[in-house]
Amino acid sequence: MRRTKREFSKQPISLMDFTKVLFYSSFVTGRLDEFMFYPKANLTPYASSGAIDSMYLFVTVLNVEELEAGIYLYNNLDNSLYIIKDNFSKEEYNFITANEHFCYGSSFNIYIVGDMSIKGMKYQDRAYRFLNIEAGHLAQNICLICEGLGIGVISSGGFYDDIFLEYINIDIGEKYLLYELILGMI
């Protein structure tokens, strides 16, 4: 049975388990050609309205084996990471979340960001609602995968929305920070 774990050990998470969390929760598992109004649609392991993949995973890394501390963007098309900011330290959580006390002991955090400009093409003003629902589906995948790997997870909404996006130097535009997951070994 899955339960939130609020205490983490100082043990690092292996690169293999880190990769499994990202891959199995959000990797593009297939593509549909000429889906409805769109030339192509990505199929992901979480439910998405209209098969429109409009989620981004930003990952803050502190304690993952073989991976430098930093902020990364996960590319779910080819299972790769792009460095956004290097030399990330636990004190920087003070700028991006109200849950810094939990983050200090975490191995990595996942920030789910939704893009209204992508989802809004089809769903207009209802797109924000769908982004939140999809972020919940994606977060649940992460929680269940972590349970199987023995990784603790805290699901949180205590982040600083626009401040986070500005901090990592991302054009806010129609992007919304929707979810924060704090992960560490238990």
Side-chain angles (χ1 to χ4, degrees), residues 35 46-54 119 122-123 127 130-131 134:
F35 179 73
Y46 59 90
S48 63
S49 54
I52 302 168
D53 182 19
S54 54
K119 190 67 71 180
K122 180 175 183 182
Y123 294 109
F130 290 129
L131 288 176
E134 290 165 30

Side-chain angles (χ1 to χ4, degrees), residues 95-110:
F95 303 116
I96 58 179
T97 183
N99 290 309
E100 67 278 355
H101 52 288
F102 292 125
C103 297
Y104 290 160
S106 69
S107 295
F108 68 101
N109 292 7
I110 298 174

Side-chain angles (χ1 to χ4, degrees), residues 71-148:
I71 301 177
Y72 298 85
L73 172 63
Y74 176 66
N75 182 340
N76 67 345
L77 289 170
D78 64 5
N79 193 37
S80 63
L81 293 172
Y82 298 108
I83 187 74
I84 301 294
K85 184 178 186 323
D86 56 6
N87 299 317
F88 185 76
S89 69
K90 67 181 183 180
E91 290 77 19
E92 293 176 81
Y93 279 121
N94 295 326
F95 303 116
I96 58 179
T97 183
N99 290 309
E100 67 278 355
H101 52 288
F102 292 125
C103 297
Y104 290 160
S106 69
S107 295
F108 68 101
N109 292 7
I110 298 174
Y111 294 88
I112 301 173
V113 174
D115 191 336
M116 275 284 289
S117 66
I118 296 171
K119 190 67 71 180
M121 287 188 293
K122 180 175 183 182
Y123 294 109
Q124 292 83 39
D125 60 348
R126 297 188 67 80
Y128 184 72
R129 181 176 301 166
F130 290 129
L131 288 176
N132 281 285
I133 292 169
E134 290 165 30
H137 294 316
L138 177 52
Q140 185 64 28
N141 280 0
I142 293 167
C143 290
L144 293 173
I145 291 162
C146 287
E147 184 66 26

